[in-house]
Amino acid sequence: DQQVKQNSPSLSVQEGRISILNCDYTNSMFDYFLWYKKYPAEGPTFLISISSIKDKNEDGRFTVFLNKSAKHLSLHIVPSQPGDSAVYFCAAANFGNEKLTFGTGTRLTIIP
Amino acid sequence: NAGVTQTPKFQVLKTGQSMTLQCAQDMNHNSMYWYRQDPGMGLRLIYYSASEGTTDKGEVPNGYNVSRLNKREFSLRLESAAPSQTSVYFCASSEVGSPTEAFFGQGTRLTVV
Protein backbone atom coordinates (compact mmCIF):
# COMPACT_ATOMS: atom_id res chain seq x y z
CA ASP A 1 0.00 0.00 0.00
CA GLN A 2 1.76 3.09 -1.28
CA GLN A 3 1.00 5.87 1.19
CA VAL A 4 2.90 8.49 -0.79
CA LYS A 5 2.44 8.53 -4.54
CA GLN A 6 4.18 10.33 -7.36
CA ASN A 7 2.17 9.39 -10.40
CA SER A 8 4.47 10.94 -13.00
CA PRO A 9 7.66 8.88 -13.40
CA SER A 10 9.18 11.53 -15.65
CA LEU A 11 8.77 15.16 -16.71
CA SER A 12 10.54 17.26 -19.35
CA VAL A 13 10.53 21.06 -19.17
CA GLN A 14 12.19 23.76 -21.25
CA GLU A 15 14.88 25.77 -19.54
CA GLY A 16 13.45 28.96 -18.06
CA ARG A 17 9.92 27.58 -17.77
CA ILE A 18 8.15 26.41 -14.63
CA SER A 19 8.51 22.79 -13.48
CA ILE A 20 5.64 21.39 -11.42
CA LEU A 21 6.09 18.09 -9.63
CA ASN A 22 3.13 16.50 -7.90
CA CYS A 23 2.69 14.20 -4.93
CA ASP A 24 -0.38 12.62 -3.31
CA TYR A 25 -0.67 10.94 0.06
CA THR A 26 -3.29 8.73 1.64
CA ASN A 27 -2.37 8.75 5.35
CA SER A 28 -4.18 11.64 7.05
CA MET A 29 -1.78 11.35 10.01
CA PHE A 30 1.05 12.81 7.96
CA ASP A 31 1.68 16.40 8.98
CA TYR A 32 5.15 17.15 7.66
CA PHE A 33 6.28 16.90 4.05
CA LEU A 34 9.64 17.15 2.37
CA TRP A 35 11.13 17.15 -1.11
CA TYR A 36 14.49 15.57 -1.86
CA LYS A 37 16.58 15.83 -4.99
CA LYS A 38 18.81 13.03 -6.19
CA TYR A 39 21.56 13.03 -8.79
CA PRO A 40 22.88 9.74 -10.24
CA ALA A 41 25.36 7.92 -8.00
CA GLU A 42 24.68 10.29 -5.10
CA GLY A 43 22.47 10.15 -2.05
CA PRO A 44 19.26 12.20 -1.88
CA THR A 45 19.67 15.75 -0.61
CA PHE A 46 17.04 17.77 1.19
CA LEU A 47 15.43 20.52 -0.85
CA ILE A 48 12.45 22.04 0.95
CA SER A 49 9.80 21.12 3.50
CA ILE A 50 6.38 22.20 4.72
CA SER A 51 4.35 21.48 7.82
CA SER A 52 0.60 20.99 7.76
CA ILE A 53 -0.04 24.31 9.49
CA LYS A 54 1.05 26.05 6.30
CA ASP A 55 -0.13 25.83 2.72
CA LYS A 56 2.94 27.32 1.07
CA ASN A 57 6.66 27.52 1.69
CA GLU A 58 9.22 29.28 -0.53
CA ASP A 59 12.97 29.02 -0.78
CA GLY A 60 14.45 30.89 -3.70
CA ARG A 61 13.32 29.27 -6.94
CA PHE A 62 11.55 26.47 -5.10
CA THR A 63 8.02 26.65 -3.70
CA VAL A 64 6.04 23.83 -2.13
CA PHE A 65 2.25 23.99 -1.95
CA LEU A 66 0.15 21.83 0.35
CA ASN A 67 -3.57 21.12 -0.11
CA LYS A 68 -4.58 19.17 2.98
CA SER A 69 -8.17 18.58 1.95
CA ALA A 70 -7.01 17.00 -1.30
CA LYS A 71 -4.01 15.29 0.36
CA HIS A 72 -1.85 16.75 -2.37
CA LEU A 73 1.38 18.68 -2.52
CA SER A 74 3.36 20.10 -5.36
CA LEU A 75 6.84 21.48 -5.92
CA HIS A 76 7.25 24.43 -8.27
CA ILE A 77 10.64 25.35 -9.69
CA VAL A 78 10.82 28.75 -11.37
CA PRO A 79 12.75 29.33 -13.55
CA SER A 80 13.95 25.82 -14.35
CA GLN A 81 17.68 25.43 -14.94
CA PRO A 82 19.73 22.57 -16.45
CA GLY A 83 21.18 21.77 -13.02
CA ASP A 84 17.66 20.97 -11.84
CA SER A 85 17.69 17.78 -13.92
CA ALA A 86 17.48 15.05 -11.29
CA VAL A 87 15.07 12.63 -9.63
CA TYR A 88 12.79 14.30 -7.10
CA PHE A 89 11.32 12.37 -4.19
CA CYS A 90 8.40 13.49 -2.09
CA ALA A 91 8.43 12.28 1.54
CA ALA A 92 6.01 12.48 4.46
CA ALA A 93 6.10 11.99 8.22
CA ASN A 94 4.25 12.92 11.35
CA PHE A 95 5.64 14.91 14.26
CA GLY A 96 6.97 12.70 17.01
CA ASN A 97 8.01 10.06 14.51
CA GLU A 98 11.26 10.54 12.65
CA LYS A 99 10.53 7.94 9.98
CA LEU A 100 10.04 9.27 6.47
CA THR A 101 7.79 7.57 3.93
CA PHE A 102 8.95 8.25 0.38
CA GLY A 103 7.21 8.36 -2.95
CA THR A 104 8.54 6.56 -6.01
CA GLY A 105 10.19 9.64 -7.51
CA THR A 106 9.85 11.79 -10.63
CA ARG A 107 12.74 12.19 -13.05
CA LEU A 108 12.89 15.83 -14.16
CA THR A 109 14.77 16.68 -17.34
CA ILE A 110 15.38 20.33 -18.19
CA ILE A 111 15.80 20.86 -21.92
CA PRO A 112 18.27 23.64 -22.83
CA ASN B 1 32.36 17.96 5.98
CA ALA B 2 32.01 14.18 5.90
CA GLY B 3 28.33 13.99 6.92
CA VAL B 4 27.18 10.39 6.41
CA THR B 5 29.81 7.95 5.13
CA GLN B 6 28.96 4.51 3.76
CA THR B 7 31.30 1.67 2.90
CA PRO B 8 31.68 -0.03 0.54
CA LYS B 9 30.37 1.90 -2.46
CA PHE B 10 30.00 -1.20 -4.64
CA GLN B 11 29.77 -4.91 -3.84
CA VAL B 12 29.01 -8.10 -5.72
CA LEU B 13 27.96 -11.12 -3.67
CA LYS B 14 27.11 -14.66 -4.52
CA THR B 15 23.78 -16.04 -3.32
CA GLY B 16 24.15 -17.24 0.25
CA GLN B 17 27.16 -15.09 1.11
CA SER B 18 27.01 -12.66 4.00
CA MET B 19 28.25 -9.11 4.33
CA THR B 20 27.93 -6.02 6.47
CA LEU B 21 27.33 -2.51 5.16
CA GLN B 22 28.91 0.13 7.33
CA CYS B 23 27.60 3.62 8.03
CA ALA B 24 28.99 6.43 10.17
CA GLN B 25 27.82 10.00 10.72
CA ASP B 26 29.66 12.91 12.29
CA MET B 27 26.70 15.26 12.88
CA ASN B 28 25.92 14.02 16.39
CA HIS B 29 22.48 12.87 15.26
CA ASN B 30 20.55 10.45 17.42
CA SER B 31 18.45 8.83 14.69
CA MET B 32 19.88 6.68 11.93
CA TYR B 33 18.21 4.76 9.10
CA TRP B 34 18.81 2.21 6.40
CA TYR B 35 16.83 2.51 3.15
CA ARG B 36 16.90 0.56 -0.08
CA GLN B 37 16.11 2.06 -3.47
CA ASP B 38 14.71 -0.09 -6.26
CA PRO B 39 13.42 0.99 -9.68
CA GLY B 40 9.79 2.10 -9.48
CA MET B 41 9.69 1.56 -5.71
CA GLY B 42 11.27 4.72 -4.36
CA LEU B 43 13.11 4.57 -1.05
CA ARG B 44 11.86 1.97 1.41
CA LEU B 45 12.86 1.89 5.07
CA ILE B 46 14.59 -1.32 6.19
CA TYR B 47 15.49 -0.52 9.80
CA TYR B 48 15.95 2.54 11.89
CA SER B 49 17.49 3.44 15.23
CA ALA B 50 16.11 6.31 17.31
CA SER B 51 19.07 6.27 19.68
CA GLU B 52 22.13 4.27 20.64
CA GLY B 53 21.08 0.82 21.76
CA THR B 54 17.65 0.83 20.12
CA THR B 55 16.58 -0.46 16.73
CA ASP B 56 13.23 -1.03 15.09
CA LYS B 57 11.90 -2.59 11.91
CA GLY B 58 10.83 -0.53 8.97
CA GLU B 59 8.80 -1.46 5.92
CA VAL B 60 11.07 -4.20 4.47
CA PRO B 61 13.18 -5.76 7.27
CA ASN B 62 13.15 -9.43 6.20
CA GLY B 63 16.61 -10.80 5.43
CA TYR B 64 18.44 -8.03 7.26
CA ASN B 65 19.85 -7.35 10.71
CA VAL B 66 21.23 -4.13 12.13
CA SER B 67 23.54 -3.02 14.90
CA ARG B 68 23.72 0.43 16.42
CA LEU B 69 27.31 0.15 17.58
CA ASN B 70 27.46 3.63 19.12
CA LYS B 71 25.98 7.03 18.41
CA ARG B 72 28.01 7.43 15.23
CA GLU B 73 27.75 4.01 13.62
CA PHE B 74 24.84 1.93 12.31
CA SER B 75 25.57 -1.23 10.34
CA LEU B 76 23.33 -3.38 8.14
CA ARG B 77 24.03 -7.10 7.81
CA LEU B 78 22.85 -9.55 5.18
CA GLU B 79 23.29 -13.01 6.65
CA SER B 80 22.50 -15.00 3.50
CA ALA B 81 22.25 -12.78 0.46
CA ALA B 82 19.52 -13.39 -2.13
CA PRO B 83 19.12 -11.95 -5.65
CA SER B 84 16.06 -10.04 -4.38
CA GLN B 85 18.43 -8.01 -2.21
CA THR B 86 20.13 -6.55 -5.26
CA SER B 87 19.55 -2.86 -4.70
CA VAL B 88 21.11 0.47 -3.82
CA TYR B 89 21.32 0.92 -0.05
CA PHE B 90 21.32 4.30 1.64
CA CYS B 91 22.14 5.14 5.21
CA ALA B 92 20.74 8.36 6.67
CA SER B 93 20.72 10.26 9.94
CA SER B 94 18.59 12.98 11.48
CA GLU B 95 17.97 14.80 14.73
CA VAL B 96 15.64 13.10 17.15
CA GLY B 97 12.21 14.28 18.19
CA SER B 98 10.90 15.72 14.97
CA PRO B 99 10.80 14.72 11.33
CA THR B 100 13.44 17.17 10.28
CA GLU B 101 15.31 16.51 7.13
CA ALA B 102 17.43 13.38 7.03
CA PHE B 103 20.97 13.49 5.63
CA PHE B 104 21.93 10.65 3.33
CA GLY B 105 25.15 8.88 2.48
CA GLN B 106 26.23 8.29 -1.12
CA GLY B 107 24.85 4.78 -1.22
CA THR B 108 26.11 1.22 -1.66
CA ARG B 109 25.26 -0.52 -4.91
CA LEU B 110 24.89 -4.22 -4.10
CA THR B 111 24.49 -6.95 -6.69
CA VAL B 112 23.68 -10.52 -5.64
CA VAL B 113 24.31 -13.10 -8.34
Side-chain angles (χ1 to χ4, degrees):
Chain A
D1 177 29
Q2 193 79 26
Q3 297 186 68
V4 178
K5 300 177 185 178
Q6 294 176 258
N7 292 318
S8 298
S10 62
L11 176 67
S12 294
V13 175
Q14 291 280 348
E15 181 179 358
R17 299 286 185 100
I18 182 171
S19 295
I20 300 175
L21 294 90
N22 294 303
C23 178
D24 297 295
Y25 61 97
T26 57
N27 187 341
S28 58
M29 297 300 290
F30 289 144
D31 51 16
Y32 192 77
F33 304 90
L34 308 90
W35 284 93
Y36 280 80
K37 178 178 180 179
K38 184 184 180 306
Y39 292 120
E42 294 184 11
T45 55
F46 170 74
L47 194 56
I48 193 170
S49 62
I50 188 168
S51 75
S52 60
I53 62 172
K54 294 184 174 182
D55 54 18
K56 177 182 175 182
N57 188 28
E58 286 183 85
D59 184 1
R61 296 186 298 113
F62 303 91
T63 302
V64 56
F65 295 92
L66 175 62
N67 182 334
K68 289 186 290 294
S69 61
K71 295 191 179 65
H72 176 83
L73 64 155
S74 60
L75 174 68
H76 292 209
I77 306 173
V78 184
S80 299
Q81 299 175 354
D84 297 329
S85 294
V87 176
Y88 290 79
F89 290 100
C90 169
N94 46 290
F95 279 102
N97 186 336
E98 298 87 0
K99 292 187 291 184
L100 297 175
T101 300
F102 283 85
T104 52
T106 296
R107 182 178 301 277
L108 175 64
T109 302
I110 304 303
I111 304 164
Chain B
N1 279 2
V4 179
T5 303
Q6 291 182 234
T7 55
K9 286 187 170 48
F10 301 94
Q11 184 71 48
V12 179
L13 288 179
K14 293 183 179 178
T15 298
Q17 286 186 318
S18 63
M19 79 161 293
T20 300
L21 281 65
Q22 307 286 355
C23 174
Q25 51 93 7
D26 62 2
M27 294 173 284
N28 204 36
H29 287 160
N30 283 296
S31 297
M32 296 186 73
Y33 314 82
W34 278 104
Y35 286 90
R36 60 177 288 174
Q37 184 194 2
D38 302 292
M41 301 295 288
L43 288 151
R44 293 182 293 169
L45 183 64
I46 305 170
Y47 270 94
Y48 76 102
S49 170
S51 63
E52 184 179 347
T54 67
T55 61
D56 207 347
K57 295 178 181 179
E59 184 184 351
V60 288
N62 291 344
Y64 306 95
N65 286 302
V66 291
S67 295
R68 183 73 183 269
L69 305 170
N70 48 54
K71 190 171 185 179
R72 289 188 64 247
E73 297 173 288
F74 188 38
S75 62
L76 178 72
R77 182 161 178 84
L78 288 70
E79 290 290 353
S80 179
S84 61
Q85 294 177 305
T86 294
S87 187
V88 181
Y89 292 84
F90 290 101
C91 177
S93 70
S94 70
E95 294 179 359
V96 73
S98 64
T100 55
E101 62 267 25
F103 294 82
F104 284 80
Q106 288 198 314
T108 296
R109 182 174 293 275
L110 175 67
T111 302
V112 183
V113 297

